[in-house]
Every structure is written in C-alpha cells, then in structure tokens.
C-alpha cells in the first residue's frame, strides 16, 4: 500500500504538518517560558520599589517599634497584588543562611540547600551586593534576589522571591499537552486536506498511468480528459501528442515492414539472414527454393555452407577487410551466385546477410551468345573462303577454259547470294531483338496474304510438286504487321518446298476455331529426326548441314519465324516423322482474355 504515490504524498503531508506543529509549539513554549521568567523578574523589581523599598530600608536602618518585619511587608504587598500563591518569599541573612522561611517563620539559620533552587546564581549575586535578576533557558529556575543595606552600607538582609519548580513544570506540561492536541488536530486536518489534495494530484496521474499502459499495449486511441492547465494537464496533452506521433510512426514502420516482407517473399533473388552466432533467423521463399531447404528449418551458417561445398565462415566475414564476399554454387544445372555481407552495429558484428542470385539463364545466354558468334563467324567464313579460292584460281590461271570460268563464277555468285541472305536474316533477327515494339500493326486479311505467298512460291516448286492452299473457315481481320507475317509464311512454306522431293505435296490450311486463327503447313518431305525436333527453332541449327547449304538455307528461317509469331502473341510448333513428312502449326489468339473453353488447337481439331 505504501508503495503507492498517493500514500507517500499523504504521509509526507501529515509528517510535514506534525513537524511544523511541533516546531511551532516548541518555539511558542520556549518563548512562553522565557517571557514568564522575564515577567517574574520584572514584577519583583517593580514591587520592591517605591514605598515598599523605603519601608524596607527604614526597617533595616532603624527598626520602629511595632512595625512589621521585611517578610510581612513584602508578603502583604504580594497579597495585595494577588501573587502570594504564585511566589514564595524568603528573607536571608547576609551570610546566606535562611532568616525567614517561605511561611514567614523565623529560623535559626537554615541552610540554602533547602531552598527550591538551592544556591542559585541570583542568590550569589545578592550576597555580593548586587541585585540578582538574571534568568536562563537552560534551567527551570524563576527567582529574584535583592540585598537590603543598613546605614553603614552593609548588607543587612537579602529578599529572595522564587517560583516553585512545580509551577514551571505545570506550565511546560500544559504547553506539551497543547502541542499534542495541536499535532493531533493538525494531523487530522492534514490527513483530510491531504486526501483531497492528493486525490486531485493522483487521480489524473492514475488516468495518465492507465493511458500509458494502453499505449504500451498498442491501443493509441485511448483518451484521458484532463481539463486542468497545470503541469499535469500539459503532460496529458504531451502524452496525447506522443501517442498520435507514435501511432503514425508505428503505422509507417508496419507499412514499410509489410512492403519489405512482401518484396522478400516474392522477389526472385534469395535472401538469408543469420545472427552473430550463425543461427538462421530469416529465409525467403526464393532462397528456400534455390537451395531446396524448408523455410522453417534451422540452419547453422558454417555447418550448412560447408555441407554444400561453399568454403566460407562467420570468422572469415568478420576478420576480412572485404565488405562483400562472393561465392558460386552449382546444383542440377542451376548456377547460383552468393553474396555474403556482414551486418554490424558500430564495431560489433550483429549478423550476416546472404543474397542468392540465380545466374543460370545469364550463363545460358552467355553460352548462346558465344555459340551464336561462333556460328556467324563459321557461316560467313565458309562462303568467303570459297569465293576467295575460286577467284584466285580464275585470276591466276590464264588459259582456264571459258566453261570452267563460268562454272567458277557461278559458284562465287551462289556463295555471294548465300552471304547476302545470311546477312539479311541476321539484320532481321537484330531488328526483332532491338525493335520489338515497333510493329506498325494494322488490320489485314490473313487469308489474302497466304494466297499471295503460296502463288509466289509456286514458281519455285520442284518438278512434279503440288502446292495448294485450302481455307477451312472464314478468317476475321488480323491485327499485325503484314510484312512480318509474310516473312513467317515465306520461311515456313519455302522450307517445306525445299525439303520435299519431286512429285511431293505441300498443303497449306487456315481456319478460325475457339477464338484462334491457325495456319497449318503439311508436306511429304524427308521429315526430321525425333531427337532434332526440340532444336529446330534454334539459330543456325540444321538437321542436315550439307543439304541445307546446297538448298541455300542459312539456318535462321525458323528462328526468325518463331520470333515474329511470338511478337504477335502466337505460338508455332512442329511435328515430324522421318521419311514421311512434317507439319508446322501456327496459332494466333484473337481475344486477349481466355475463357475456360479456350484451348490451343491440336492437329486433329485444326484439320
């Protein structure tokens, strides 16, 4: 209970009140005793002056018959003044012994130690011929001693007045009793007033404490209505402002945290975080998938990376000067680049962040780029070598027959044409790679374009070949680049014409079904081996390189066709059986959003 600020304040108020009352009472008590002693001496001094002093002197010099003695004279004056009961009168001999006691009885010289205060300082002063009227706060004495002189100037007698110690003790008891009553009343009043004052202070403090607890629990909407304009009221307003600011900051932090968690969860790069002891504290979905570990599994940095063949440790990250260490990991054909960076706070390392980046596609692209450059170099070097060889032969042989010259020049011309076609196809691929958005799309009739391409290629067909086009159903307007689509049809149909022997058939079909426009090219040519089918759309790929060169092919026709078809949102596929022919199917969706009934065409449906 006394741990509460309410009771601490209450006890403090009561304690301060009691202390103040005690100090005040002590001050007034001491002051009262001082005034009492001072007034006692002053009254005695006044009383022993005037007529009474003359009578005492006359009585001391020449006593008159029948005149009362000194004790009786002074006692009568005390009675007249009403102080006979409060003061005790003694008459002392000049040698300090008692002449008349407090009852006015003459003694035979009683000793001073029988007096209430014994041999006091004032008696000593009177024995020396001085008036003893001093008083002190250090004792309980209240007395007065005055010498009376005879005609010769000698001390005849000493008048001694004193107040009994019981009188001062009673006064002190009254003062103490009054102080006790004052302390009790002051304590009660202080307790009641303190309860009211403390309640006024602690009540809003309790409200502020409750609000602080609610804020600590996450409830920032709690309100405390404190209308006072004192420091507590200002504290309440400050707490409201702090809660609003804290809520805003926490909302911002939570928003940023959610963003970071969403980014880390769905980002393609992997992220792993370890504490300073090497224990895993976070792993995102991409990292778990790359390393094929469960997201909830507990991993230890050194043990795990050593187990997968990565030579790295926490100590190496801490003591090496490099801020980022790079390692590479390969598994099942996947290439992963790992970046390790330490987290620190000041000079202290707090953990390690590991970034995982799948560079498999990049390495494949680098390999494909190197292969493409090698293929281009090879494809260009072969005709250049042939052209140079035949040219040098014609140039250096003076008596070369005209027929041989014509044959050689024909070969040079053929190789030059092949180089032209190759460069044209390379430029086309470059244009497709670098300018895919510039399609110059426009609506046109695809059936008319197919007819024109079939008619044009009909002049290049071999002896006995048949090239036909059949429109299965009416085609809707097609949105695309007609020049690009003409190139696709030309490449596909011309391939069928080239690789179909004499007396073979090439049939072209088109139609519209399930929101798809399809174009199918069937031939009865030499076909393609099953193992070569996955690679027929790769650049510079040829199933029969020698025959392809003889036919004037560059190995880029189907690759270009695939690029253009995919630019238009379509797909191209090929099926073939070696020795029996091939079939190429091209499909273009008309609607961008597919329905559940939409599906790509198979060969039987297209037929």
């Amino acid at each position: 209970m006394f741990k509460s600020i309410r009771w601490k304040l209450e006890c403090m108020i009561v304690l301060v009140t009691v202390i103040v009352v005690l100090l005040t009472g002590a001050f007034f008590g001491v002051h009262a005793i001082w005034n009492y002693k001072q007034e006692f001496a002053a009254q005695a001094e006044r009383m022993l002056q005037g007529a009474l002093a003359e009578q005492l002197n006359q009585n001391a010099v020449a006593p008159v018959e029948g005149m009362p003695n000194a004790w009786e004279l002074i006692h009568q004056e005390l009675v007249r003044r009403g102080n006979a009961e409060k003061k005790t009168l003694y008459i002392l001999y000049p040698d300090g012994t008692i002449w008349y006691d407090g009852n006015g009885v003459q003694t035979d010289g009683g000793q001073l130690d029988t007096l209430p205060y014994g041999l006091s300082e004032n008696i000593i002063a009177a024995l020396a011929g001085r008036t003893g009227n001093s008083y002190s706060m250090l004792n309980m004495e209240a007395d007065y001693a005055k010498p009376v002189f005879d005609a010769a100037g000698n001390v005849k007698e000493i008048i001694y007045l004193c107040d009994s110690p019981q009188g001062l003790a009673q006064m002190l008891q009254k003062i103490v009793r009054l102080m006790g009553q004052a302390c009790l009343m002051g304590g009660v009043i202080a307790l009641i007033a303190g309860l009211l004052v403390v309640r006024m202070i602690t009540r809003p403090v309790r409200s502020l404490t409750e609000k602080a607890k609610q804020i600590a629990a996450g409830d920032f909407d709690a309100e405390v209505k404190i209308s006072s304009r004192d420091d507590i009221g200002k504290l309440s307003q400050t707490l409201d402002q702090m809660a609003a600011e804290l809520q805003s900051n926490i909302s911002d932090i939570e928003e940023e945290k959610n963003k970071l968690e969403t980014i880390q969860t769905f980002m393609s790069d992997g992220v792993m975080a370890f504490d300073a002891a090497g224990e895993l504290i976070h792993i995102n979905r991409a990292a778990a998938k790359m390393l094929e570990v469960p997201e909830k599994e507990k991993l230890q940095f050194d043990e795990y990376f050593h187990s997968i063949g990565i030579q790295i440790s926490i100590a190496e990250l801490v003591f090496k000067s490099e801020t980022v260490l790079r390692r590479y990991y390969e598994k099942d054909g996947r290439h992963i680049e790992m970046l390790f960076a330490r987290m620190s706070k000041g000079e202290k390392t707090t953990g390690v962040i590991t970034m995982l980046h799948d560079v498999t596609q990049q390495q494949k692209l680098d390999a494909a780029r190197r292969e493409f450059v090698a293929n281009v170099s090879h494809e260009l070097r072969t005709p250049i070598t042939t052209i140079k060889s035949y040219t040098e032969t014609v140039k250096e042989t003076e008596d070369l027959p005209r027929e041989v010259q014509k044959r050689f020049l024909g070969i040079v011309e053929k190789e030059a044409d092949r180089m032209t076609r190759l460069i044209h196809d390379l430029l086309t691929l470059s244009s497709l790679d670098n300018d895919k958005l510039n399609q110059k799309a426009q609506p046109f009739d695809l059936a008319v374009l197919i007819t024109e391409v079939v008619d044009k290629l009909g002049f290049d067909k071999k002896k006995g070949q048949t090239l036909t086009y059949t429109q299965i159903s009416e085609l809707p307007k097609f949105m695309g680049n007609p020049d690009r689509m003409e190139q696709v049809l030309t490449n596909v149909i011309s391939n069928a014409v080239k690789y179909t022997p004499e007396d073979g058939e090439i049939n072209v079909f088109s139609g519209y079904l399930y929101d798809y426009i399809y174009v199918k090219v069937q031939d009865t040519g030499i076909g393609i081996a099953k193992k070569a089918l996955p690679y027929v759309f790769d650049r510079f790929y040829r199933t029969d390189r020698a025959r392809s060169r003889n036919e004037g092919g560059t190995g880029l026709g189907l690759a270009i066709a695939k690029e253009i078809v995919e630019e238009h949102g379509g797909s191209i596929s090929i099926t073939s059986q070696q020795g029996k022919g091939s079939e190429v199917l091209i499909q273009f969706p008309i609607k961008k959003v597919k329905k559940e009934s939409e599906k790509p065409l198979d060969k039987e449906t297209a037929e």
Side-chain angles (χ1 to χ4, degrees), residues 206-331:
R206 286 199 303 270
S207 300
L208 292 176
T209 303
E210 291 298 324
K211 180 173 182 178
K213 290 180 180 179
Q214 292 174 348
I215 292 174
D219 183 10
F220 300 101
D221 296 327
E223 293 185 0
V224 177
K225 295 182 179 179
I226 298 177
S227 58
S228 61
R229 297 183 180 181
D230 55 7
D231 293 341
I232 295 179
K234 294 179 181 178
L235 177 60
S236 175
Q237 294 176 1
T238 304
L239 194 61
D240 290 336
Q241 295 174 359
M242 184 193 72
E245 189 68 23
L246 191 60
Q247 183 178 18
S248 176
N249 292 338
I250 291 177
S251 298
D252 294 340
I253 292 172
E254 288 180 350
E255 184 178 356
E256 293 299 323
K257 178 175 176 289
N258 292 334
K259 288 180 182 178
L260 289 176
E261 288 181 349
T262 303
I263 291 172
Q264 290 184 5
T265 301
F266 296 102
M267 67 187 300
S268 58
D269 288 344
V271 178
M272 303 175 71
F274 298 84
D275 60 18
E279 300 295 331
L280 180 68
I281 56 178
H282 176 74
I283 181 172
N284 70 342
R285 188 179 303 169
K289 184 177 180 181
M290 288 182 190
L291 301 177
E292 297 180 354
V293 296
E295 293 185 40
K296 302 297 183 180
E297 185 172 347
K298 295 182 178 180
L299 302 177
Q300 210 284 333
F301 185 90
D302 293 356
E303 294 179 0
Y304 175 73
F305 286 107
H306 288 170
S307 69
I308 63 175
I310 303 298
Q311 298 304 315
I312 195 169
S313 64
I314 293 283
E316 184 179 4
L317 283 164
V318 172
F319 293 107
K320 278 200 171 183
S321 58
E322 294 91 345
T323 57
V324 177
L325 295 182
R326 191 185 306 268
R327 298 290 186 272
Y328 291 92
Y329 174 63
E330 181 179 359
K331 182 180 180 182

Side-chain angles (χ1 to χ4, degrees), residues 334-354:
R334 296 186 70 181
H335 299 269
I336 299 173
E337 180 185 40
M338 296 183 175
L339 300 176
F340 299 89
R342 66 175 179 268
M343 299 183 292
S344 59
K345 184 177 182 181
E347 297 295 330
K348 182 180 179 182
T349 299
T350 58
V352 175
I353 288 289
T354 303

Side-chain angles (χ1 to χ4, degrees), residues 28-41 135 137:
F28 283 109
V30 171
H31 190 68
I33 293 174
W34 178 268
N35 289 338
Y36 178 84
K37 291 183 176 184
Q38 187 179 30
E39 183 64 21
F40 180 89
Y135 43 86
M137 296 301 302

Side-chain angles (χ1 to χ4, degrees), residues 18 59 79 116 143 165 216 287 315 317 341 350 375 382 449 531 539 578 585 589:
V18 171
N59 192 5
V79 171
D143 60 351
L317 283 164
T350 58
N375 288 333
T382 301
L449 182 61
K531 63 180 182 179
R539 298 178 181 185
Q578 199 166 12
L585 178 63

